[in-house]
Each structure stands twice: as C-alpha cells, then as structure tokens.
Amino acid sequence: KDKMEEFLAPANDMQGAVLRSIKKSLAASAVGSMVTNPLDVAQNEMYQTGERFASTVKRLQREEGSRWMFRGCGKSVVASAMPLALTIFLTDTFLQRHG
C-alpha cells in the first residue's frame, strides 16, 4: 500500500484523497491475494490428500509444473481482495483522520 504512494498523483481535495486511498487499497489487496494464492492451493490439496506441506508442494510441482501456483488465482483475488481492500481502506481512512 505504501509503495503505491510513489505512483499516484497527490490528492488536492478530500474526494481525491478518498480515490487515492481506494486505489492503494485495491492494489495492496490484489497483490496480497496473488502472493498468497499458492499457499491456499497447497493447503486445499493438503486437506484433500492428508499429505504434509513439503510433499504436497513437490507433488504439485512434479504433476503441474509452475501452473499449480496460479490455479484459481482469479477467483481467489475476487473473493478475498474485495473484503481485504475494504479493511485496508477503512483502516487508512481512520488513521488519516485520527492518527
């Protein structure tokens, strides 16, 4: 979220500050969802097979190559990024006004 500060134009008014915060929140939550997606895939596989983490990841890599890391990524980003973006936005807004 903080890294986005460098790429966004400064806000001139309250509406601009809100839009800027929304953009930062959406970007941070989308990146976070994509980065953690491989862990979600591995965890789901572990539940289905009863394997340990390392053996699950090795099997997935052997069977699917690197594609397994992106399995369901689109759905995951949509499902988890929106609530996370709202949380980041509300926290950012609260801290701007009270912190």
Side-chain angles (χ1 to χ4, degrees):
K1 174 182 85 69
D2 294 335
K3 199 68 170 158
M4 285 294 294
E5 291 283 343
E6 300 170 13
F7 300 106
L8 295 173
N12 296 328
D13 57 6
M14 184 57 124
Q15 183 180 2
V18 169
L19 287 174
R20 183 181 168 89
S21 184
I22 289 170
K23 290 175 186 177
K24 290 189 304 185
S25 301
L26 286 172
S29 62
V31 169
S33 295
M34 286 185 273
V35 167
T36 60
N37 189 68
L39 297 173
D40 292 338
V41 172
Q43 182 181 32
N44 288 334
E45 286 288 321
M46 289 168 57
Y47 285 137
Q48 292 176 3
T49 63
E51 294 176 305
R52 293 186 177 269
F53 180 77
S55 58
T56 299
V57 170
K58 287 177 187 176
R59 180 180 53 78
L60 287 169
Q61 188 66 33
R62 184 179 62 250
E63 291 175 359
E64 300 182 32
S66 297
R67 290 183 319 224
W68 73 270
M69 291 188 275
F70 304 101
R71 189 192 323 159
C73 191
K75 292 178 185 177
S76 176
V77 168
V78 170
S80 63
M82 294 312 288
L84 183 56
L86 181 61
T87 301
I88 294 170
F89 171 74
L90 292 174
T91 302
D92 195 39
T93 302
F94 179 82
L95 290 175
Q96 286 177 0
R97 294 180 186 208
H98 301 291

